[in-house]
Amino acid sequence: MFRTALRNVLAHKARLLMTVLAVVLGVAFVSGTLVFTDTLGNAFRNQSAKSYDDVAVAVTTYADQRDDKTAGINAAALKKLQGLDGVDTATGRVSGFAGVADPDGKLIGNGWSNTGGNYSPGKNGKDPAYTFTDGKGPDAADRIALDKETAKKGEYHVGDKVRVATNGPVKEYTLSGVFTTEDGAVNAGGSLVLFDTPVAQKLYLRAGEFRDATISAAAGVSEEKLLNDVKPLLPEGADAKTGTALADEQAKQIENGLTSLNTMLLVFAAIALFVGVFLIANTFTMLVAQRTKELALMRAVGASRRQVKRSVLLEAAVVGVIASVVGFLLGLGLATGLRSAMSLIGGKIPAGPLIVSPTAVAAAFGVGVLITVLAAWLPARRAAKIPPVAAMSSVHAVATVKSLVLRNSIGAVLALLGGAGIVAGAATGSSGRTLIGIGAFLALIGVIVLIPLLSRPVIALVRPSLKRLFGVSGKLAAQNAVRNPRRTGATASALAIGLTLVTGISVLGVTLGQAIDRATTDNIKADYMVTMASGDPLDESALAALEKAPGVTAVSPQQAAYLEVKGDYQSASGVTPGDVQKVFAVNTVSGSLDSLGKGEIAVGDKTAKSNGWKTGDTLPVTFEDDKKGTLKIGAVYEQNEFLAPVLMPKNIVDAHQSRPEIREIWLKTDGGASKANEQALIDALGDNPAMSVMDQQDIRETFGGFINQALNIMYGLLAMALVIAVLGVVNTLAMSVFERQQEIGMLRAIGLDRRRVKRMIRLEAVVISLFGAVVGVALGMFLGWAIGETLKSDIPGYALVIPWDRIGLFLVLAGLVGVLAALWPARSAAKLNMLTAIKTE
């Protein structure tokens, strides 16, 4: 039977090509994902371990520039650490944000990973954490050093003037040296600026203090011994760990960080393979149907049902192995390509070999072979049931009424259960997403089972139009599309799955995007918002500069604060009375925001309701500096996502904060947003590359842009599933043409010319593609609505939006898919020799 299976594979190479391609794509995605994440994880783990090569013990404090209560490591404490037996060196470290401007004044790097630190040379005059390729470390207050990549991007050389922004005004420094480093921030696409130690301490903590310290051990001294000796000397609240422990922790964090990427990519690989199942099952079903006589003869000469079944499954296994080998090799190329792509978009990946783990190999071959064999199991089972008497007849075995009734009954039950689960989940709210997920799976399976039943009435609706528009070709195309409902259903199912996901994601994405857009438009009056690119608080000097900027008519910060009221902490914002209502559309429920000018506060309506507060109430509060006082509620307003639940006059917040924490500054300008007004704000901020000046469109993109990015990524990943669906249409048509050679020959003989034969095949493909697309679009909209219902309570102003333009585009593309998929089969059908075709059995 193995020889028979191998012979059949070799005999049907062309017919099995599409099946092989479908499995190849799925396996390539699985193996490529596993190899890529293994390679990435190994590279970062090695880099992490390397960065701790010279660290025996690392000391960490939680000292903060805005908090005088938490002590760092002062000079005396560092000296004690340096004097311990077994310590080779003890180096103090302090760090924070530092953004480097390129020659055009733009920020180099991505903001959150732009860092600055101190250069701390040892007895040999070198800092072991950095290797200089040019120049030397900074040795004066007006000097800095840059990492090699940042210097290259900014085209800076030793001796050049470099503008650097921290949390205060931009300053100009002289570049003293360029270095290489294993620092994670630099490898994430950021930058690293090294300052002279006293400068870095003043910038990021306090004069004479370090936040952390790294200790290297003398020869022969163990990390554990040194750790035990260091612990008694630590400041209160400080922590110490061995370099090995820290490297292990970072490796674990890297692994956890890659898990989500790994899971996401594998989910899309699973979708592609699921779609591929229909193509594989379709192929083997058609092959079995075409070999009815052959299989029946095998039964007649003594082959058992088990042997016939085993023959078909062995054939599938051979196909699976071939596809897995090709897919795995393609996956290695995909992993290499992903690595190169990440480097191109600015993510620097440490050098390292391509890691091909036994898990990746086993998963690739296991998935490829298992999926192919499982998909071929049902056709193999049908093949085993072919009676020997069928060898006497040229009629293929057809499904019994009983089997069709059973199939449709099961499909109806699954679809109803799934639909009920989806509706119940939507009605439950945010806690119903799991129920929707289960319901969606059942509904999708149910619809797939029912698709052959649905194909006849749905395609019957378009048959008159096809006949009227395309004549005989249209009539024959509609008849051919429903001649074998199972085959049509399996082909349409692949497209339906892909378009269900694409439509559902589109409905959700567009709806969320418009909700965010409306929230921005409805709640913001400001022309501009100013923030730090790093996400850190703005310096008070930025607010003072903007208040004096020409053309500014209103300015209010959102200065982060909190209050303790009867044991509960309340998030608050310090704002400018009189201006806050000019930059935000604040709808008052009771009272007036003018009361902020009298030293009173305003409370969001949801917060007021949950605490039983109302306008006129006086609240006993504890401020951030632990001082107690009372505040009167002067207004209750409609809460929104742009404002804190409690608004306070800025002067009250300032009185209880040693250093203001200004997250955003909102501005209204004379004449609205314009190039001139924007430039005036940039100039007022000293052309600071670390500060972002955003107009309303930029704000909308900041809050909603990630949705469009996510949509584009999803479309890209789902494209593979749709490619497999297209292969399915090609495969079905090719098999159909092969089966109908005699019929096509007869049609040619009675006057159907080649042009109309091609049109018939193309229209059949378009009908099947559009049928699958319509089913997928309908199910996708239903799922998009249901998931949206669970998000309603979390997104103010949420209202379902059906993106009819995109859905129309999907349907047009589905029709185009049908036309393209039919090119080869239609050409093959038109080229058939009519006399040869008529003689074909």
Side-chain angles (χ1 to χ4, degrees):
M1 297 308 289
F2 178 75
R3 286 199 302 271
T4 303
L6 190 59
R7 186 205 68 195
N8 286 327
V9 170
L10 296 173
H12 302 113
K13 295 187 289 292
R15 297 181 217 173
L16 289 167
L17 178 62
M18 300 300 176
T19 295
V20 170
L21 283 173
V23 180
V24 162
L25 288 172
V27 169
F29 216 126
V30 171
S31 58
T33 295
L34 294 174
V35 170
F36 173 64
T37 51
D38 285 346
T39 299
L40 212 60
N42 180 71
F44 280 118
R45 279 192 294 272
N46 288 342
Q47 182 197 57
S48 174
K50 190 176 178 182
S51 66
Y52 287 105
D53 273 350
D54 298 322
V55 178
V57 176
V59 178
T60 304
T61 73
Y62 300 95
D64 190 282
Q65 197 171 32
R66 292 184 293 272
D67 181 11
D68 295 326
K69 297 175 185 176
T70 308
I73 301 168
N74 58 31
L78 185 63
K79 195 170 183 178
K80 287 181 183 178
L81 293 173
Q82 290 169 337
L84 276 175
D85 288 339
V87 170
D88 184 26
T89 60
T91 307
R93 300 291 183 193
V94 64
S95 62
F97 169 76
V100 180
D102 66 14
D104 296 325
K106 303 297 183 184
L107 182 69
I108 297 175
N110 49 31
W112 60 268
S113 60
N114 291 342
T115 56
N118 65 303
Y119 178 71
S120 184
K123 297 172 185 176
N124 62 357
K126 296 180 181 179
D127 190 325
Y130 312 105
T131 302
F132 278 80
T133 58
D134 193 14
K136 61 179 183 177
D139 54 6
D142 63 343
R143 294 178 179 270
I144 59 162
L146 290 178
D147 69 272
K148 188 176 179 180
E149 286 298 315
T150 302
K152 183 180 177 181
K153 289 174 185 174
E155 300 178 356
Y156 291 123
H157 303 91
V158 172
D160 288 350
K161 297 293 184 182
V162 182
R163 296 175 70 246
V164 179
T166 53
N167 287 338
V170 180
K171 290 185 180 179
E172 195 171 72
Y173 298 86
T174 301
L175 183 63
S176 66
V178 177
F179 58 88
T180 59
T181 177
E182 296 299 327
D183 188 276
V186 174
N187 286 303
S191 61
L192 178 59
V193 182
L194 294 181
F195 298 93
D196 187 36
T197 293
V199 174
Q201 288 175 321
K202 289 177 183 176
L203 281 173
Y204 300 126
L205 194 57
R206 289 176 285 274
E209 281 193 44
F210 298 98
R211 186 175 287 117
D212 310 311
T214 54
I215 302 169
S216 61
V221 178
S222 70
E223 290 183 340
E224 286 72 20
K225 179 185 179 306
L226 201 56
L227 180 64
N228 291 331
D229 293 342
V230 164
K231 280 184 175 179
L233 302 179
L234 296 180
E236 187 179 348
D239 189 20
K241 291 180 180 178
T242 64
T244 303
L246 284 170
D248 290 343
E249 278 184 15
Q250 276 204 8
K252 196 167 185 178
Q253 288 171 1
I254 290 165
E255 191 174 330
N256 291 337
L258 291 173
T259 298
S260 56
L261 172 65
N262 201 26
T263 302
M264 182 184 75
L265 291 175
L266 287 175
V267 164
F268 285 98
I271 291 167
L273 286 167
F274 185 51
V275 171
V277 165
F278 296 96
L279 192 158
I280 299 163
N282 229 6
T283 301
F284 279 95
T285 298
M286 288 185 278
L287 287 175
V288 167
Q290 290 166 11
R291 288 159 47 200
T292 300
K293 278 191 174 184
E294 177 190 328
L295 294 171
L297 280 169
M298 288 172 64
R299 291 291 313 281
V301 297
S304 67
R305 285 188 173 186
R306 183 177 294 177
Q307 284 177 310
V308 171
K309 186 177 180 180
R310 193 183 301 154
S311 171
V312 177
L313 291 178
L314 278 171
E315 189 177 335
V318 171
V319 172
V321 169
I322 294 169
S324 295
V325 170
V326 178
F328 183 72
L329 294 175
L330 190 61
L332 295 180
L334 179 64
T336 305
L338 283 171
R339 185 172 178 169
S340 301
M342 282 194 70
S343 299
L344 288 173
I345 60 174
K348 186 182 174 186
I349 299 173
L354 202 66
I355 302 299
V356 183
S357 66
T359 303
V361 177
F365 283 86
V367 164
V369 175
L370 185 65
I371 289 292
T372 312
V373 171
L374 282 176
W377 179 81
L378 200 57
R381 185 169 173 271
R382 290 197 194 112
K385 288 184 175 182
I386 295 174
V389 73
M392 308 295 182
S393 170
S394 62
V395 180
H396 297 161
V398 294
T400 63
V401 173
K402 181 181 177 183
S403 70
L404 290 174
V405 170
L406 180 63
R407 175 192 176 112
N408 294 334
S409 299
I410 292 172
V413 169
L414 289 174
L416 287 171
L417 285 174
I422 292 169
V423 172
T428 307
S430 57
S431 60
R433 288 166 201 161
T434 303
L435 191 57
I436 289 175
I438 296 169
F441 179 75
L442 292 174
L444 193 58
I445 298 297
V447 168
I448 288 167
V449 173
L450 285 173
I451 271 185
L453 178 67
L454 296 172
S455 63
R456 288 187 182 276
V458 173
I459 294 175
L461 293 174
V462 298
R463 188 184 298 170
S465 300
L466 287 172
K467 184 179 177 182
R468 187 165 55 252
L469 293 172
F470 303 103
V472 174
S473 297
K475 180 181 178 181
L476 291 172
Q479 289 175 345
N480 291 334
V482 293
R483 177 181 293 185
N484 190 331
R486 283 188 171 180
R487 185 188 301 166
T488 299
T491 306
S493 293
L495 274 170
I497 293 166
L499 281 170
T500 294
L501 298 170
V502 169
T503 304
I505 289 168
S506 296
V507 169
L508 269 179
V510 171
T511 299
L512 291 174
Q514 291 202 16
I516 291 170
D517 193 57
R518 278 196 302 274
T520 305
T521 306
D522 294 347
N523 295 313
I524 295 174
K525 289 182 180 178
D527 297 315
Y528 295 100
M529 176 180 76
V530 176
T531 61
M532 287 291 289
S534 61
D536 292 328
L538 289 150
D539 191 78
E540 184 84 8
S541 61
L543 179 62
L546 290 170
E547 286 173 338
K548 298 174 185 174
V552 172
T553 57
V555 56
S556 177
Q558 283 232 62
Q559 184 170 324
Y562 68 85
L563 297 169
E564 185 183 344
V565 185
K566 297 179 181 178
D568 292 329
Y569 286 95
Q570 298 291 338
S571 175
S573 279
V575 297
T576 303
D579 280 2
V580 65
Q581 55 266 56
K582 294 177 184 177
V583 295
F584 291 106
V586 189
N587 299 317
T588 52
V589 176
S590 60
S592 170
L593 287 180
D594 292 338
S595 61
L596 290 169
K598 303 173 187 175
E600 297 175 359
I601 63 172
V603 180
D605 54 353
K606 294 177 183 176
T607 302
K609 185 177 179 181
S610 64
N611 288 282
W613 299 339
K614 61 183 184 299
T615 301
D617 286 354
T618 300
L619 307 178
V621 300
T622 302
F623 295 100
E624 293 175 59
D625 56 0
D626 293 332
K627 292 182 179 177
K628 299 184 183 299
T630 57
L631 292 172
K632 184 179 180 181
I633 299 176
V636 173
Y637 62 91
E638 289 182 12
Q639 219 160 307
N640 65 65
E641 60 272 27
F642 292 98
L643 289 169
V646 177
L647 301 180
M648 302 169 59
K650 186 180 183 303
N651 64 315
I652 294 179
V653 176
D654 286 341
H656 300 282
Q657 287 184 342
S658 57
R659 186 182 177 93
E661 191 171 340
I662 301 172
R663 293 291 175 184
E664 305 151 2
I665 300 174
W666 298 81
L667 303 110
K668 193 80 177 165
T669 54
D670 189 14
S674 67
K675 287 286 183 184
N677 282 336
E678 184 176 338
Q679 191 58 50
L681 299 180
I682 292 170
D683 292 341
L685 294 168
D687 195 14
N688 192 323
M691 292 184 185
S692 300
V693 178
M694 293 183 277
D695 60 20
Q696 284 209 10
Q697 183 57 39
D698 294 328
I699 295 167
R700 279 194 286 270
E701 289 175 3
T702 298
F703 287 102
F706 71 94
I707 293 175
N708 290 326
Q709 290 177 5
L711 275 178
N712 292 333
I713 292 169
M714 297 289 187
Y715 290 154
L717 292 170
L718 286 170
M720 188 174 65
L722 293 174
V723 167
I724 294 173
V726 172
L727 293 177
V729 178
V730 176
N731 205 30
T732 297
L733 291 173
M735 292 288 193
S736 180
V737 168
F738 180 82
E739 285 179 1
R740 288 154 43 198
Q741 287 186 68
Q742 189 178 60
E743 176 191 318
I744 292 169
M746 290 293 293
L747 289 171
R748 289 290 317 282
I750 62 174
L752 196 67
D753 59 24
R754 288 184 175 183
R755 183 172 57 84
R756 285 189 285 183
V757 168
K758 284 184 181 179
R759 185 186 296 166
M760 176 183 73
I761 303 297
R762 283 198 295 266
L763 288 172
E764 182 180 346
V766 170
V767 167
I768 293 172
S769 298
L770 284 175
F771 170 57
V774 168
V775 172
V777 163
L779 193 54
M781 287 194 292
F782 181 44
L783 286 176
W785 162 80
I787 296 170
E789 289 296 299
T790 68
L791 301 170
K792 253 186 174 180
S793 58
D794 301 324
I795 302 173
Y798 179 93
L800 182 69
V801 178
I802 303 296
W804 294 111
D805 54 341
R806 296 193 190 194
I807 288 171
L809 180 62
F810 296 156
L811 293 174
V812 169
L813 289 175
L816 185 61
V817 160
V819 172
L820 293 175
L823 288 177
W824 173 51
R827 188 167 177 269
S828 299
K831 288 175 68 177
L832 284 174
N833 182 292
M834 66 181 74
L835 295 177
T836 304
I838 289 169
K839 291 189 292 181
T840 302
E841 288 193 16

